[in-house]
Amino acid sequence: MTGYRGVLFDFSGTLFRLEPEPGWFTGVQDREGRPLDAAAQRELLHRMTVPVGPPVPMEGAALATWHARDLSSTDHRGAYLDVLEQSGVFDREQRERLYGEFSDPLNWTAYPDTGRVLAAVRESGRSVGVLSNIGYDIRPAFRRERIEDLVDAFVLSFEVGYAKPDPEVFRAACAELGLPPEQVLMVGDSAEADGAAATIGCGFTRVEPLPVDQRPSGLLDAVRAAGALT
């Protein structure tokens, strides 16, 4: 084994992707009282999963809650309920129901090569970590896929009190792996959020957060190209 001794993986858009079921939007209407069409559903998904930057206009307390969304479950819920309301979901019960669907870890779909990559990294003698900006526990998604045991450390922002791109969250993740930053590769879909790992000396490689059926081997290809797998 040469080069990196550990690999940190982002969650959303890297290992798993949120792909809503059509039934989630049953009864949800736009401003004119029409059911949300496919384009509106895709835009709502984008706004609920964008890695950085407010997806709707915000100011004051709402903006403060947005910036704190990944540091506590309460702020996460408040921020995304606001996003849903500003996105045209005016009925409170519908907002609560949609947030429940979006924040259920069992509603996330693993990319086809996720399990294979985690296993290969571990088999190569390297440590595996999952580093996510998130306001709820994502471990059940890994448990369902029977890959939780392939992860040496879960570093979740709402549990550690830091969120990407804050350098402290990368330091915390490297410490969990017991490795210096220069021996750790960060894999993620956001150059701004995940790529900030480079500020403390980690390597970084980016994957495209494509729909699951459009990225059969993108994660494997990226990790190999970065030199973390032979």
Side-chain angles (χ1 to χ4, degrees):
M1 181 182 70
T2 60
Y4 299 114
R5 295 177 57 203
V7 184
L8 291 169
F9 294 91
D10 173 49
F11 174 67
S12 174
T14 301
L15 296 178
F16 287 73
R17 190 172 190 271
L18 185 63
E19 299 195 335
E21 296 289 337
W24 294 8
F25 299 99
T26 300
V28 180
Q29 301 176 335
D30 64 16
R31 293 178 185 274
E32 284 72 42
R34 297 170 300 192
L36 295 185
D37 60 21
Q41 292 177 24
R42 287 194 298 271
E43 176 60 21
L44 197 56
L45 172 64
H46 169 72
R47 294 182 180 188
M48 294 295 286
T49 57
V50 62
V52 293
V56 296
M58 292 180 177
E59 59 183 20
L63 184 59
T65 299
W66 170 261
H67 287 310
R69 70 195 183 282
D70 292 321
L71 301 180
S72 77
S73 297
T74 299
D75 285 329
H76 191 274
R77 177 177 175 276
Y80 284 106
L81 286 175
D82 184 55
V83 170
L84 287 166
E85 184 172 13
Q86 291 204 55
S87 298
V89 184
F90 301 113
D91 183 86
R92 182 176 180 82
E93 289 187 5
Q94 291 288 355
R95 292 197 299 274
E96 294 280 0
R97 182 174 65 80
L98 280 174
Y99 175 74
E101 298 286 10
F102 282 118
S103 61
D104 184 345
L106 298 181
N107 282 339
W108 290 73
T109 303
Y111 279 97
D113 55 350
T114 289
R116 185 156 52 114
V117 169
L118 297 184
V121 172
R122 282 288 295 275
E123 289 169 3
S124 74
R126 297 174 174 91
S127 299
V128 172
V130 172
L131 171 54
S132 178
N133 282 1
I134 201 80
Y136 52 91
D137 188 6
I138 57 175
R139 294 175 183 86
F142 291 79
R143 207 169 296 138
R144 181 199 62 207
E145 298 296 318
R146 298 182 180 180
I147 56 175
E148 185 180 23
D149 291 344
L150 298 176
V151 180
D152 297 295
F154 284 91
V155 181
L156 310 183
S157 60
F158 84 107
E159 293 181 342
V160 300
Y162 301 106
K164 298 174 286 187
D166 188 333
E168 293 304 317
V169 78
F170 299 108
R171 291 192 180 97
C174 290
E176 283 292 320
L177 295 183
L179 296 171
E182 60 270 19
Q183 294 180 1
V184 176
L185 173 69
M186 178 74 213
V187 184
D189 67 304
S190 170
E192 182 176 349
D194 303 305
T199 63
I200 69 164
C202 294
F204 171 65
T205 190
R206 184 175 178 273
V207 292
E208 291 289 343
L210 298 172
V212 169
D213 63 358
Q214 295 178 26
R215 209 192 77 188
S217 64
L219 183 62
L220 181 61
D221 296 341
V223 175
R224 278 179 174 163
L229 281 178
T230 56

